[in-house]
Amino acid sequence: MRERTALALFVALLAAAPLALPEFYVTLLNYIGLATLVSVGLVLLTGVAGVMSFGQQVFAGLAAYSTAVLTTRYGISPWITLAAGLALTAAVALFLGAITLRLSGHFLPLSTIAWGIAVYFLFGNMELLGKHTGIADIPPISLFGWRLDTGREICVLIWVLTLAALVAARNLLDSRAGRAIRALRFRSVMAESFGVNTAALKNLVFLYAALLAGLSGWLYAHFLRFVSPGAFNVNAGIDYLFMAVVGGAGQVWGAVIGASLLTVLREWLKDILPKLVGFSGNYEIVVFGVLMIMLLHRTRDGLAPALARLAIAAKVRASPSPAPSLEKRRQPQPGETLLEARAARKQFGGLVAVRDLSFETQSGEILGLIGPNGAGKSTMFNLITGVLGSDGGEIRFRGERIDRFPPSEIARRGICRTFQHVNLISAMSVIENVAIGAHLRGRRGTLDAMLRSDRAEEAQLLYEAALQLERVGLAEHLHETAGSLPLAQQRLVEIARALSADPILLLLDEPAAGLRYGEKKVLAELLRRLRAEGMSILLVEHDMEFVMGLVDRLVVMDFGEKLAQGLPREIQADPAVVEAYLGGIE
Amino acid sequence: MSFDIALWLVQDGVTNGAIYALLALAMLLVFAVTRVIFVPQGEFISYAALSLALLQAGRLPGVVYVLVGGGLVAAALDIALALREKAPARLPRIVALYVLVPCVMAALAWWAAPRSVGLPLQVLIVLGLVVPLGPILYRVAYQPLASASVLVLFIISMAAHYALTGLGLVFFGGEGLRSEAFSDARFKLAVLDITAQSLWVVGASFVLMFALRLFFEKTFYGKALRATAVNRIGARLVGIPAELSGSLSFLLAAFIGAVSGILISPITTIYYDTGFLIGLKGFVGAIVGGMGSYPLAVAGSIGIGLLEAFSSFWASAFKETIVFTIIIPVLLWRSLRSRHIEDEEE
Amino acid sequence: MNALLEVDDLRVYYGKVEGLHRASLRVPEGSIVTVIGPNGAGKTTLLGAIMGLLPSAGSARYAGADLAGTKTEARVGLGLSLVPERRELFGEMSVEDNLRLGAFHRFRKRGVDLESELTAIYARFPRLEERRAQLAATLSGGERQMLALGRALMARPRLLLLDEPSLGLAPRIVRDIFRIITELKKTGVSILLVEQNARAALQVADYGYVLETGEIVLEGEAAGLASNPRVIETYLGLAGKVIAT
């Protein structure tokens, strides 16, 4: 494995660095490590989970000031103050996360800037924190009696922790929780519908990023032995985000690249720019700003992906080896009533999209819900899956009312869906996409993932995903990226993902839309086979031709209402249905 | 606190709040039309305030270099594009807008600097120096990325803020400046002691807001901007070019920023990086007002001005902390009300 | 004679997925040409590419000139106008402002007499005049379609692209819309009509294409297509069976 070799080489070089390099470079290396710690958190938070923060310096500052005050005033050991600082950071992060992470898009970064300024002025004006002069004479860290009081000594500690953070982050992304995190940015609706609590997960990532920033702040305080507000101003927060973006916000190792480049560039510019301008000031921000704009005009993915393409060839992976099967649900008896809609209703403003619709599905059948475009089929689908809240009536599943449940609770009960607009994480491999479907069948969380104590369960999840992919006929494509498959195969991946959740009722949202004739036949064949294996299916479709030969019963919708219901051939002969579908103009 | 002091603080708060309100409006406008969070607005404030103070001190404001240099970059980009698209007919217009206008304004400033030309002309020159920077900035930094996500545009804004702040330091230096008051008059109105400067600020702000309203409701171009804000695809389908609405909204925002800078410069000492904080207070005002409604944004901004005035009286050291912390309860309230999951576009 | 619009080998990609595969078609001046096909066949993609909303490969020529490198806004200036499937109205603006903005590109060149043009539009769509001061967002589905059509007509198009004008409308309103489409043809506007409602589309059109999964699979005179066994089976199939029974 070439990645492991590269890593070993990197570690060896790092280990040699504090011994061999002159003081100046060791200091630089320390700054890089400290910045990397913060940017690893941002890579997860911004690059992967899509939550942009310009406020990470706040968390670094909280931990740095905590340890500064506690060690200088009360003589407490830095290891205890580390715990205290991280606890404070965590408390603040949980509070801020709880109130801001649910806000959409631009609100969050704006509010991170705002609290960044608020806290900066707080640091600069509190008597306890030494106002703008800061706090000096912070004691060094002692490790088993060894005082880390030079840059060379603390360099070891900084980089051991930084590497640990990098490895933990990489492990995390390659796990059950990690797959869910990778869905947060573009696919949170999908993740919710497979039982991921996206809000809680976002908070967790936010917390992790904050703790890494806090750790960096603690190290910073004991490395410089001095803290002042200047190190934690808004510009520091902007720099951290730039580092993550330069490195490639989706790549864990990008954090090292970004942090190194910007730190080194800054030192170099600090040397030469004042000579050009004639007096000193932090002009490097001009260069940073311009470089950033140019970089984003050229690529929005940062440098790491380009470097990765140069350095590490794509890994060839084998199919996952057989693992003990995951626990399965007891399937209902054939003929049992599964889903019942009773006078379900949904309004958008004055428009009634679904008007008092009632129908039911039975175990072991394929029920088709059809209607012309705009008839309200998708709205009905969203009511059943909990994506929309209903405005009246009831929806029950095996007798239990589910119309007040969020999508994750509905998924928990065994209703699993596909999406009309294919909802796969296109940069992730097919098998990982399918494994998200089995999210609720696993238990292991983020900590297990970071420490790799989740491997047995991970093997089970991936094996299950591979089995389901084989079932839909995609055994050859396990490790391709989902986005590289043609539409028809992406639709099959969607079905495999729903199957790996071990569903009781499979909900398919226009699975045949956009497929070629031959592809539709393959799809119909698969659905027949699933029914023969006992699967119950609710099929929402527009395509009459596709539905007619496949389903057991049909419900036809038009203008939000039930137009007809019955066997396929009854529907075909129904004049009202013909009028709705053809709407002739004579 | 005596009643007199309270009244004085209210006056102070409303004066600053009126400026924040202007900035909040500019931010909402730019965001609605281009989806850009216009962080560099702050630099337009600083540039205008410092330029006015320098002109009054008989010195050439360094912003002329930023203007001419930025204009040249924008012209180069547009010329390259025109040549690539084989449309040489566009060249004269490009040169006129991005090269000629900046050079003429720079020459005017150079001519006016050593002479005492009087406040009105100085204000006009400052506007002429700073306002064209809006479309130039749009052309150079944002236009190539017009289809990018809000978050990418946000990073661009932070980068532009960085670059412009740094240029401010290079060309204006680190010293703080304050320009002369428009008028030293004071009026007694019952117990109120009103300064003419406050009246100027509040009056000018409201005139400007009213003018903006007329522009958006009565003129064809104003309606076209609104249409772009309401439905970007619809706007393209009736032939409103995205670059035109982008440029126009940045022009308006730069104008508002420059006017704010001119209005505030006799009240506060302005440094090259002061504008950032002032601009952000406009953002906070807009957020407090809910980020959608113009009247609420004005109300929110005036509230921020008042909060700032009163907290500078009671806890002056924590003034900024208090002003920027106020968004936390506001956001808390908002997040309690919102319960939907939203996906970014990939 | 060359057609007003000539599309050759047009291809559109969504990432690596091909949304449109080498589509070729002609719209002769003064005719109605329809493209029919099922959901997801790429009909909207085709119009988006012709209008320049989506990047495409292959060639699209309008009035003899290549459209490559011409932005959507400039295509409107050349006389192409799209009434999109989602209407894309200015919801928070009045009906009248929506209509006026339809003439934006002509207004820019030189002042036009908007008032007399508005009168002409109102004569065609009396409902819009009744609702002139109302916000577009408050209109009903049929009225929104009328407004979208009226707005497009304010641009004085030579070629009108219509994307599913009957979508989600009650049959009576659909009849109105198709009547207006035939009237427009008489005024000399050429029309490219994309429809799922195959029967209605083939009734008003002169020529038709069938688009399936991004490919043109059939073409011909509209009347001929309507009696083509394959079209009957797939698009009019239900009607065929009903008629047969």
Side-chain angles (χ1 to χ4, degrees):
Chain A
M1 257 196 191
R2 298 185 54 184
E3 193 181 351
R4 201 156 283 181
T5 329
L7 181 62
L9 199 68
F10 182 62
V11 172
L13 279 176
L14 265 180
L19 303 172
L21 290 177
E23 189 69 33
F24 172 77
Y25 290 99
V26 174
T27 305
L28 205 54
L29 206 58
N30 283 343
Y31 278 120
I32 293 173
L34 293 173
T36 305
L37 268 178
V38 184
S39 357
V40 177
L42 270 178
V43 163
L44 288 185
L45 185 65
T46 303
V48 180
V51 176
M52 188 180 289
S53 165
F54 287 100
Q56 297 306 103
Q57 82 285 3
V58 166
F59 303 117
L62 285 175
Y65 268 102
S66 305
T67 193
V69 170
L70 292 176
T71 51
T72 55
R73 286 204 165 212
Y74 306 101
I76 298 173
S77 148
W79 295 103
I80 297 172
T81 63
L82 172 64
L86 290 183
L88 177 66
T89 307
V92 173
L94 286 174
F95 173 69
L96 288 177
I99 59 172
T100 55
L101 285 178
R102 283 155 77 181
L103 298 170
S104 58
H106 47 281
F107 271 109
L108 185 84
L110 266 178
S111 63
T112 60
I113 295 177
W115 79 57
I117 293 174
V119 172
Y120 167 70
F121 280 102
L122 198 64
F123 287 157
N125 287 296
M126 277 178 71
E127 204 69 59
L128 174 71
L129 305 182
K131 295 199 159 182
H132 282 285
T133 41
I135 300 174
D137 300 324
I138 301 172
I141 300 167
S142 300
L143 195 61
F144 308 116
W146 175 32
R147 279 166 62 90
L148 307 178
D149 51 7
T150 67
R152 275 178 213 284
E153 285 158 310
I154 202 166
C155 184
V156 178
L157 181 63
I158 288 176
W159 274 97
V160 165
L161 292 173
T162 303
L163 283 174
L166 283 165
V167 170
R170 211 201 54 152
N171 289 348
L172 174 61
L173 286 181
D174 178 30
S175 73
R176 168 177 176 267
R179 286 185 289 272
I181 293 172
R182 287 152 84 184
L184 286 178
R185 184 170 188 183
F186 301 115
R187 299 287 179 249
S188 53
V189 173
M190 179 276 288
E192 281 279 329
S193 65
F194 285 101
V196 177
N197 184 341
T198 55
L201 197 59
K202 257 188 195 174
N203 272 302
L204 201 67
V205 178
F206 190 64
L207 177 66
Y208 179 59
L211 287 176
L212 285 182
L215 183 62
S216 169
W218 175 77
L219 285 166
Y220 173 87
H222 291 287
F223 159 50
L224 279 194
R225 319 270 291 274
F226 164 73
V227 290
S228 71
F232 308 108
N233 65 12
V234 180
N235 281 5
I238 301 175
D239 283 348
Y240 290 133
L241 194 95
F242 282 2
M243 288 174 190
V245 172
V246 167
Q251 310 277 326
V252 169
W253 296 102
V256 188
I257 299 171
S260 311
L261 272 179
L262 262 74
T263 310
V264 172
L265 188 63
R266 155 156 299 161
E267 284 309 313
W268 183 64
L269 290 172
K270 267 186 185 158
D271 259 5
I272 59 162
L273 282 181
K275 287 176 197 146
L276 293 177
V277 183
F279 50 99
S280 60
N282 58 340
Y283 307 114
E284 70 272 15
I285 60 176
V286 181
V287 181
F288 279 16
V290 171
L291 281 182
M292 199 64 206
I293 292 174
M294 286 167 61
L295 178 78
L296 285 173
H297 284 190
R298 299 230 159 257
T299 164
R300 291 171 209 173
D301 302 329
L303 299 175
L307 293 175
R309 271 195 295 278
L310 288 179
I312 299 164
K315 282 176 280 185
V316 183
R317 293 216 225 171
S319 307
S321 39
S325 151
L326 293 163
E327 214 174 294
K328 282 203 169 72
R329 282 181 231 270
R330 273 192 47 205
Q331 291 290 329
Q333 294 299 314
E336 185 187 320
T337 300
L338 294 181
L339 190 75
E340 292 166 87
R342 288 188 202 153
R345 190 181 182 86
K346 181 70 193 174
Q347 271 171 252
F348 297 107
L351 177 82
V352 186
V354 173
R355 191 190 297 271
D356 308 330
L357 189 73
S358 302
F359 67 89
E360 54 179 63
T361 74
Q362 271 132 31
S363 176
E365 73 168 351
I366 302 183
L367 178 77
L369 180 62
I370 64 166
N373 269 352
K377 303 182 302 272
S378 290
T379 309
M380 189 60 221
F381 196 95
N382 286 333
L383 292 183
I384 297 172
T385 51
V387 173
L388 292 173
S390 68
D391 295 326
E394 291 184 1
I395 299 172
R396 289 174 179 275
F397 184 63
R398 305 182 81 184
E400 183 187 12
R401 256 190 97 158
I402 58 166
D403 47 284
R404 294 276 172 268
F405 285 159
S408 51
E409 280 306 306
I410 292 172
R412 220 175 270 280
R413 280 158 182 73
I415 302 184
C416 299
R417 65 171 296 185
T418 65
F419 291 82
Q420 179 187 352
H421 297 288
V422 172
N423 218 331
L424 300 172
I425 304 167
S426 43
M428 199 157 93
S429 72
V430 168
I431 185 167
E432 288 175 295
N433 266 290
V434 173
I436 288 183
H439 187 82
L440 282 175
R441 302 171 78 185
R443 299 271 166 282
R444 299 291 182 170
T446 43
L447 210 57
D448 289 320
M450 289 184 193
L451 302 172
R452 293 256 132 164
S453 57
D454 63 339
R455 291 296 99 181
E457 182 188 278
E458 177 74 1
Q460 284 181 293
L461 290 172
L462 289 178
Y463 185 60
E464 171 74 18
L467 284 182
Q468 298 304 343
L469 278 164
E470 201 181 312
R471 200 170 169 196
V472 302
L474 289 176
E476 306 294 303
H477 303 281
L478 301 187
H479 297 293
E480 286 167 38
T481 55
S484 69
L485 297 182
L487 180 67
Q489 294 189 339
Q490 294 195 12
R491 284 262 162 72
L492 296 179
V493 176
E494 286 258 327
I495 294 175
R497 184 178 61 200
L499 287 174
S500 71
D502 186 24
I504 288 173
L505 176 64
L506 192 59
L507 254 55
L508 305 177
D509 194 357
E510 304 215 11
L515 298 197
R516 287 160 212 267
Y517 183 68
E519 294 165 343
K520 282 185 199 170
K521 269 173 66 178
V522 173
L523 178 64
E525 211 38 63
L526 170 67
L527 298 184
R528 280 198 194 94
R529 205 170 65 232
L530 290 177
R531 175 175 53 189
E533 289 166 19
M535 184 57 64
S536 320
I537 299 172
L538 173 60
L539 173 67
V540 173
E541 248 308 337
H542 171 82
D543 188 333
M544 278 273 219
E545 194 195 9
F546 175 71
V547 168
M548 283 301 169
L550 177 65
V551 301
D552 299 297
R553 288 190 304 130
L554 274 168
V555 172
V556 188
M557 281 182 82
D558 194 24
F559 293 103
E561 289 179 87
K562 185 158 76 182
L563 192 65
Q565 164 172 328
L567 301 175
R569 61 186 156 73
E570 295 167 1
I571 296 296
Q572 253 173 333
D574 189 326
V577 176
V578 174
E579 168 70 14
Y581 255 82
L582 297 173
I585 53 166
E586 60 277 296
Chain B
M1 176 174 27
S2 72
F3 187 62
D4 288 5
I5 295 179
L7 275 180
W8 188 79
L9 290 176
V10 168
Q11 183 191 339
D12 194 35
V14 170
T15 308
N16 284 326
I19 290 175
Y20 301 152
L22 275 182
L23 296 169
L25 293 184
M27 164 198 180
L28 289 182
L29 163 72
V30 169
F31 183 70
V33 175
T34 62
R35 299 173 304 125
V36 168
I37 305 274
F38 194 38
V39 181
Q41 174 75 288
E43 279 64 65
F44 291 106
I45 303 169
S46 291
Y47 282 15
L50 291 169
S51 299
L52 184 62
L54 283 174
L55 273 183
Q56 288 176 346
R59 285 154 61 192
L60 179 68
V63 70
V64 294
Y65 304 110
V66 183
L67 178 65
V68 173
L72 287 175
V73 176
L77 289 172
D78 251 4
I79 288 171
L81 191 69
L83 293 181
R84 212 174 327 132
E85 290 178 2
K86 300 191 180 65
R90 279 190 244 152
L91 295 182
R93 194 159 167 268
I94 295 171
V95 173
L97 279 182
Y98 288 138
V99 183
L100 228 54
V101 169
C103 287
V104 167
M105 289 322 301
L108 205 59
W110 176 77
W111 169 81
R115 299 171 173 78
S116 297
V117 293
L119 183 69
L121 191 57
Q122 284 168 344
V123 166
L124 284 179
I125 290 175
V126 169
L127 289 176
L129 290 176
V130 177
V131 176
L133 280 176
I136 289 175
L137 177 66
Y138 176 76
R139 176 63 192 89
V140 173
Y142 295 94
Q143 189 178 311
L145 283 172
S147 60
S149 70
V150 172
L151 293 183
V152 168
L153 292 171
F154 198 120
I155 304 180
I156 291 280
S157 279
M158 295 311 276
H161 154 67
Y162 246 32
L164 288 174
T165 316
L167 289 172
L169 177 60
V170 173
F171 290 111
F172 291 111
E175 55 175 332
L177 297 171
R178 188 190 278 241
S179 64
E180 295 153 21
F182 296 172
S183 151
D184 292 325
R186 303 177 87 85
F187 309 96
K188 278 273 181 205
L189 194 78
V191 289
L192 264 176
D193 185 18
I194 298 172
T195 63
Q197 187 63 35
S198 290
L199 283 182
W200 260 108
V201 171
V202 176
S205 303
F206 279 92
V207 167
L208 194 51
M209 284 181 214
F210 187 69
L212 279 175
R213 198 194 152 111
L214 280 183
F215 172 73
F216 283 116
E217 290 189 351
K218 300 293 175 204
T219 70
F220 206 63
Y221 278 95
K223 284 178 184 175
L225 266 192
R226 260 171 73 208
T228 314
V230 171
N231 187 330
R232 209 163 280 108
I233 298 178
R236 293 183 67 190
L237 288 177
V238 298
I240 304 171
E243 305 88 72
L244 178 75
S245 19
S247 272
L248 197 55
S249 62
F250 269 65
L251 184 86
L252 285 173
F255 179 71
I256 292 172
V259 169
S260 309
I262 290 167
L263 290 174
I264 210 166
S265 66
I267 306 177
T268 324
T269 304
I270 302 282
Y271 298 83
Y272 73 99
D273 59 353
T274 316
F276 179 56
L277 278 190
I278 299 174
L280 280 180
K281 285 174 192 163
F283 279 87
V284 174
I287 291 181
V288 169
M291 274 295 275
S293 144
Y294 290 79
L296 282 180
V298 172
S301 305
I302 300 214
I304 292 296
L306 289 171
L307 178 73
E308 188 184 18
F310 279 87
S311 44
S312 66
F313 177 78
W314 271 310
S316 77
F318 298 105
K319 180 181 85 170
E320 310 289 355
T321 303
I322 292 170
V323 168
F324 284 102
T325 311
I326 188 71
I327 66 162
I328 288 188
V330 173
L331 293 177
L332 180 62
W333 180 72
R334 281 189 68 90
S335 78
L336 287 179
R337 293 193 346 150
S338 76
R339 178 241 154 196
H340 62 288
I341 317 157
E342 223 173 71
D343 278 337
E344 242 180 88
E345 288 293 314
E346 196 168 2
Chain C
M1 198 193 84
N2 285 339
L4 180 62
L5 179 74
E6 302 165 277
V7 172
D8 286 295
D9 282 346
L10 203 64
R11 299 182 296 279
V12 176
Y13 292 91
Y14 294 109
K16 287 179 186 170
V17 181
E18 204 175 41
L20 196 62
H21 177 74
R22 295 191 176 278
S24 302
L25 57 84
R26 298 277 177 281
V27 181
E29 183 102 52
S31 68
I32 300 183
V33 171
T34 186
V35 176
I36 58 174
N39 249 5
K43 304 189 299 287
T44 297
T45 306
L46 172 70
L47 292 187
I50 294 174
M51 206 58 208
L53 290 169
L54 299 171
S56 59
S59 103
R61 297 173 70 80
Y62 170 80
D66 194 347
L67 287 175
T70 312
K71 291 190 183 122
T72 302
E73 298 90 320
R75 294 184 197 205
V76 176
L78 293 175
L80 286 113
S81 234
L82 169 67
V83 180
E85 186 181 338
R86 294 159 44 91
R87 318 304 187 226
E88 310 290 2
L89 299 172
F90 307 123
E92 291 154 47
M93 299 176 80
S94 71
V95 165
E96 185 149 317
D97 278 345
N98 268 273
L99 289 173
R100 282 172 194 275
L101 283 166
F104 181 85
H105 76 94
R106 289 190 297 140
F107 177 87
R108 252 189 111 190
K109 276 183 196 145
R110 56 190 157 74
V112 266
D113 184 7
L114 285 180
E115 299 315 313
S116 71
E117 307 221 348
L118 272 177
T119 319
I121 296 286
Y122 286 144
R124 198 182 286 286
F125 304 103
R127 279 303 281 269
L128 293 184
E129 185 163 26
E130 288 167 30
R131 312 229 177 251
R132 63 199 294 173
Q134 219 169 299
L135 296 186
T138 63
L139 298 182
S140 74
E143 289 163 351
R144 293 163 68 88
Q145 181 58 51
M146 304 272 177
L147 180 54
L149 249 173
R151 188 181 70 179
L153 291 177
M154 286 294 285
R156 281 271 178 89
R158 238 174 113 186
L159 174 62
L160 192 58
L161 311 172
L162 301 175
D163 195 356
E164 309 268 6
S166 73
L167 184 71
L169 301 183
R172 187 178 50 80
I173 300 168
V174 173
R175 280 187 266 275
D176 281 350
I177 297 276
F178 279 96
R179 179 179 49 76
I180 292 167
I181 292 174
T182 23
E183 282 170 19
L184 284 176
K185 179 189 167 186
K186 287 176 196 146
T187 67
V189 182
S190 314
I191 295 168
L192 178 58
L193 169 67
V194 154
E195 261 293 348
Q196 265 191 83
N197 188 335
R199 168 187 284 197
L202 289 174
Q203 271 168 7
V204 298
D206 300 300
Y207 199 83
Y209 295 86
V210 178
L211 189 68
E212 278 179 15
T213 56
E215 264 175 280
I216 303 267
V217 293
L218 257 183
E219 63 176 285
E221 299 294 326
L225 272 189
S227 57
N228 180 310
R230 183 166 170 193
V231 174
I232 291 178
E233 177 61 30
T234 322
Y235 301 101
L236 311 169
L238 208 49
K241 275 173 203 156
V242 172
I243 293 160
T245 48

